[in-house]
Amino acid sequence: MAHLKGKVALVTGGGGVLCGAMSKALAEHGARVAVMDVKLEAAERVAEEIRSQGGEATAIAADVLSRESLEAAREKIHEVFGLVEILINGAGGNRPEATASPDRPFFAIPPEAIQWVFNLNCLGTILPCQVFVPDMIQLQRGVVINITSMAAIRPLTRVVAYGAAKAAVANFTQWLAVHLAQNYTPKIRVNAIAPGFFLTEQNRYLLVDEAGNPTPRGQTILAHTPAGRYGEPADLISTLLWLVDDQSAFITGAIIPVDGGFSAFSGV
């Protein structure tokens, strides 16, 4: 069991389904959680649920693509809770305009759609690290967990921009782990979780039809997932708690798949 009593945790994208579940889990184990989302109402819903269960949480509205916005959020978190010791970079997503399809071949994908996906996933991970990791350097300890994707480990059809952006997040995770250990302290660890296929608002259009049945793509994914199902938010929690706890003190620069065996199955 993770021992997080009194530690300040920040979760970007915290108003979403997966990161909301992570925020709640951190609070349940004693962390003081700053739930950050570009939509304040989404962050507040999660924070209020945490508080209703006896946990400590505050909702923060900030844009992970704006350093000024992140710095303002940092000031608010310092006022309420103090220095950030745990950073979960969960903000990310895809959009149909950056996805290849019969109606939109790869060669016709607009560059602005590709740039949007890269910015949100890659720059939206790097900028929070630039703003909040100095807190950890001051404390001489801390944990960063980036959320990458199965698409970073095994290139997937159609999601050209998303897969490339998440691969960049995985590479950055390893780079930052080494950089911090060599230049500051090995007591700041940086790892990533690579979820397999979880139904979210960002990918629902690819995996299920309007009736809620698996699309042909969804059927293929399930057939190649030994667990035989999509992931659920609770499936991420044990890995999250293990990585933020001191019991994983010798683990840094790792990309941990939580994918029901998808990355292990060759299809034969």
Side-chain angles (χ1 to χ4, degrees):
M1 180 179 292
H3 300 285
L4 307 177
K5 184 67 175 177
K7 294 184 178 182
V8 179
L10 167 62
V11 182
T12 75
V17 174
L18 299 184
C19 292
M22 293 182 193
S23 298
K24 295 170 194 175
L26 292 168
E28 286 171 6
H29 286 78
R32 309 169 77 191
V33 182
V35 183
M36 180 186 291
D37 201 279
V38 69
K39 298 178 181 178
L40 181 59
E41 61 272 21
E44 186 56 55
R45 280 195 298 269
V46 174
E48 179 54 36
E49 187 172 344
I50 290 171
R51 291 191 292 265
S52 71
Q53 298 297 317
E56 292 187 78
T58 187
I60 302 286
D63 180 359
V64 294
L65 297 180
S66 166
R67 182 157 187 153
E68 182 178 84
S69 178
L70 290 168
E71 289 173 346
R74 181 182 61 196
E75 294 306 312
K76 293 178 183 177
I77 295 168
H78 287 177
E79 290 173 6
V80 176
F81 287 149
L83 299 176
V84 172
E85 189 171 346
I86 298 169
L87 170 61
I88 313 298
N89 281 309
N94 194 19
R95 67 190 309 175
E97 296 84 355
T99 303
S101 68
D103 297 328
R104 187 184 300 101
F106 161 70
F107 305 101
I109 294 176
E112 58 270 20
I114 295 172
Q115 188 70 64
W116 186 93
V117 174
F118 263 87
N119 284 348
L120 180 59
N121 292 282
C122 186
L123 189 60
T125 296
I126 293 173
L127 283 181
C129 288
Q130 289 183 320
V131 172
F132 291 100
V133 169
D135 281 13
M136 302 178 195
I137 293 171
Q138 185 174 336
L139 292 167
Q140 284 294 286
R141 65 181 186 274
V143 177
V144 178
I145 297 180
N146 298 325
I147 306 302
T148 179
S149 167
M150 194 47 46
I153 297 174
R154 300 191 66 180
L156 307 177
T157 60
R158 299 187 62 183
V159 289
V160 53
Y162 182 76
K166 287 299 192 182
V169 171
N171 183 279
F172 171 68
T173 297
Q174 295 178 315
W175 181 88
L176 187 61
V178 174
H179 178 72
L180 293 176
Q182 289 185 338
N183 293 281
Y184 297 96
T185 172
K187 291 185 178 180
I188 302 175
R189 299 182 295 107
V190 187
N191 294 294
I193 296 174
F197 293 90
F198 291 69
L199 276 178
T200 66
E201 292 309 310
Q202 285 82 13
N203 66 13
R204 186 174 298 275
Y205 73 98
L206 286 170
L207 302 183
V208 295
D209 61 23
E210 293 181 358
N213 299 313
T215 61
R217 183 180 181 85
Q219 292 171 1
T220 300
I221 288 166
L222 292 172
H224 285 75
T225 301
R229 63 175 176 85
Y230 295 127
E232 300 175 357
D235 293 320
L236 295 170
I237 300 308
S238 60
T239 301
L240 170 74
L241 295 176
W242 167 58
L243 288 174
V244 299
D245 192 67
D246 291 342
Q247 64 185 313
S248 60
F250 199 54
I251 299 171
T252 193
I255 315 296
I256 310 297
V258 181
D259 66 346
F262 182 91
S263 59
F265 183 41
S266 69
V268 178

